[in-house]
Amino acid sequence: SAVDAFIAEQLQAVEMIAAPPAEKRVLLRRITHDLIGLPPTPGETMDFLADDAPDAYERVIDRLLASPLYGERWARYWLDVVRFAETNGYERDAVKANAWRYRDWVIDAFNTNMPYDRFIVEQLAGDELPERSESTVIATGMLRLGTWDDEPNDTEEYQYDRLEDMVHATATSFLGLTVKCARCHDHKFDPIPQTDYFRVAAAFWGGPVKHRDRELAGGPTKSELGFEVLGWTDITRDPPPLRLLKKGSIHRPGDVVPPGSPTLVPALARLSEPAAEGATTSQRRLQLAQWIVDPRNPLTPRVLVNRLWQHHFGEGLARTPDNFGFLGDRPSHPALLDWLAAEFVDSGWDIKHMHRLLVLSETYQQSSLHPRQDDYAERDAANRGLWRAHRQRLDAESIRDALLATCGRLDLRLGGPSFFAPISDEALEGLSMKSGAYHASPLEESYRRSVYMFTKRGIAVPLMTTFDACDNTAPVGRRDVTTVPTQALALLNNAWVHEQSRAFAARVSTGAEGAKERIARAWTLALGRAPTELEQAAALSHIEAFPESDDALAAWTSLCHVLINSNEFLYVD
């Protein structure tokens, strides 16, 4: 493919070759986790291994992209980028009513393959579209996802902090730029003068950024929106002028800055037009969104295809996905990034098209092991040349979902209000409002996919944070990926994980005759393969050596617990 041509050209220049293709079983596990965030079922594995047709892999891709599970997987990445949470933060940490409807909107947008330019416009200005609907207004919830202090020390100062949050979220998510640096001064490294910051901020100045009352909580009322959703709209079509703040201080107002687009793309820089006659909003956000999605804007498509590349290959072509500025990482393959961006726009901003393009490449399908591993690792330890596939640890949500899928408990219901995951009393002890701060949902609700887990800023689910679930106070395009002892200890000792191990043991034991058959079933469910002779013998020894107990599942629970703690379960090759 064209992708492979760009990769091969750079490898050839340094006299290196790509790794051989990955085994079919490994490739199926990789693509299934990548596209839907779950392991393949034993039946899917068996069917793929038996299918020798030339298009077998391509049909798997089409099946996964058509699955509603795809939207749940890729929505989670976007929720990181837009700092999604369902509470305001700060001490009271009040619930953002209907925030879950924004999450469901994102899931649906990915599943229906909404063109990316439309995806951007609805989130920034869905309320200003001529065809405005409840769905497009829900999309504007992105602007209200940030933290909200309902009792700030200085209300006038805080309205500018709210503006900063929206400018930062917009610029980071769609443009990969750190524009908020320019609130106080011209950007020290990128071509973003202070006036550009306020030109963009003025697009949000017509919204309810001032503290009108606590109930408002940072957004318009139902009557202003027309729908009972978490959304955003202007409270006037003619907002007051916005002045530049010298050194970012409200006590040093400067000149009025007219609303408009940033000037970093000179050919596209423009001031906002006055609102059309009869409009109820300023229409500044719509004009800003149209500037962002203009096909001539070089940043927008590059930032998105780099995000897609990162999640498929382990690292972006540019390894700072939220910073395409001067201090950001230089792309390892700049010509490839340019080509992918052009292909994305030419495809009609078709995200599923880009998925197919990337995962059908030989580069994606190569093994994570290379015949010349030691030699190449010395020359390119970071694998910037992509001479092998990156081995990736599952993220927190995928680990939890894989546990539930393996034990047969995963509830695949789509959408709806979030569930409150179980949290131990010890973890809740530090909350200042203990009596009503957190109440877990009924146990059966906690078997839903992790994307539907209630996200409370004041208290995180410990198992998720242990595996690097991201901070949601600011946009996060690339989570930390750590390997620390507490992760092993959490999986070994966590009560919820032990509960899933027991359910796994019950699933293995049901209908299976004899220890060998149970062992084989356990390996197939957890790892997608049969045990080796050595593993079979070790498992038998483990079961036979287990102390006698009235609990018939004790030994099998222990064995299943070992499997879900293995590297092979937690990593994708």
Side-chain angles (χ1 to χ4, degrees), residues 89-163:
Y90 296 92
E91 183 180 7
R92 273 185 281 271
D93 203 20
V95 173
K96 291 180 181 290
N98 294 308
W100 61 268
R101 300 189 70 185
Y102 171 80
R103 178 207 61 213
D104 284 4
W105 178 87
V106 176
I107 292 172
D108 185 65
F110 276 102
N111 277 333
T112 58
N113 203 27
M114 180 184 287
Y116 184 60
D117 56 345
R118 177 72 181 196
F119 183 72
I120 292 173
V121 169
E122 288 197 15
Q123 290 179 84
L124 288 179
D127 62 304
E128 297 189 309
L129 292 171
E131 63 278 21
R132 162 181 163 145
S133 66
E134 184 175 34
S135 176
T136 67
V137 173
I138 288 171
T140 65
M142 171 206 165
L143 299 174
R144 292 189 57 195
L145 294 175
T147 58
W148 170 263
D149 187 353
D150 59 7
E151 200 172 49
N153 293 328
D154 187 324
T155 56
E156 187 178 0
E157 175 78 32
Y158 190 60
Q159 65 179 306
Y160 288 94
D161 292 342
R162 290 286 295 157
L163 274 181

Side-chain angles (χ1 to χ4, degrees), residues 231-404:
W232 187 270
T233 196
D234 295 350
I235 57 175
T236 174
R237 55 165 284 156
D238 297 307
L242 177 64
R243 293 184 177 275
L244 179 147
L245 301 181
K246 297 176 182 178
K247 302 295 184 182
S249 171
I250 62 171
H251 304 297
R252 300 184 62 188
D255 295 334
V256 170
V257 179
S261 64
T263 58
L264 52 92
V265 185
L268 297 181
R270 56 177 179 262
L271 296 177
S272 298
E273 298 290 333
E277 186 175 350
T280 59
T281 67
S282 69
Q283 298 189 323
R284 295 174 180 178
R285 285 174 290 111
L286 181 59
Q287 293 176 59
L288 176 63
Q290 290 167 340
W291 176 85
I292 291 173
V293 302
D294 190 305
R296 296 169 296 169
N297 189 325
L299 283 170
T300 309
R302 282 170 175 78
V303 169
L304 194 278
V305 296
N306 189 64
R307 295 193 194 281
L308 297 180
W309 187 282
Q310 170 189 301
H311 294 306
H312 281 307
F313 292 87
E315 294 282 2
L317 291 169
R319 297 192 174 191
T320 51
D322 292 335
N323 187 357
F324 271 50
F326 182 78
L327 292 184
D329 180 66
R330 294 293 176 267
S332 58
H333 298 74
L336 173 55
L337 185 59
D338 289 346
W339 183 84
L340 289 171
E343 176 69 17
F344 185 35
V345 175
D346 291 345
S347 73
W349 303 87
D350 187 331
I351 292 178
K352 287 190 178 181
H353 169 75
M354 299 308 295
H355 282 306
R356 290 188 183 93
L357 186 68
L358 298 183
V359 301
L360 281 169
S361 68
E362 292 180 359
T363 304
Y364 177 83
Q365 297 177 57
Q366 68 183 328
S367 173
S368 61
L369 298 174
H370 197 287
R372 301 180 63 182
Q373 188 98 359
D374 293 342
D375 175 32
Y376 282 15
E378 287 187 6
R379 298 167 60 185
D380 180 17
N383 192 27
R384 292 184 67 89
L386 293 163
W387 46 271
R388 62 172 177 84
H390 280 277
R391 191 169 189 247
Q392 300 186 59
R393 198 206 73 208
L394 300 182
D395 58 31
E397 290 83 358
S398 293
I399 291 173
R400 185 182 175 279
D401 292 352
L403 286 170
L404 289 169

Side-chain angles (χ1 to χ4, degrees), residues 3 25 147 154 157 184 199 216 230 234 262 268 276 292 297 360-361 457 470 484 492 510-511:
V3 170
R25 183 188 64 81
T147 58
D154 187 324
E157 175 78 32
C184 302
R199 281 162 66 107
L216 196 59
L230 182 80
D234 295 350
L268 297 181
I292 291 173
N297 189 325
L360 281 169
S361 68
R457 285 194 161 102
C470 72
V484 294
L492 283 170
T510 302

Side-chain angles (χ1 to χ4, degrees), residues 31 33-34 104 181 192 217 229 256 258 266 320 335 357 454 461 490 526 564-565:
I31 189 63
H33 269 293
D34 271 8
D104 284 4
C181 299
I192 306 172
V229 299
V256 170
T320 51
L357 186 68
F454 188 86
V461 178
I564 63 176
N565 274 269

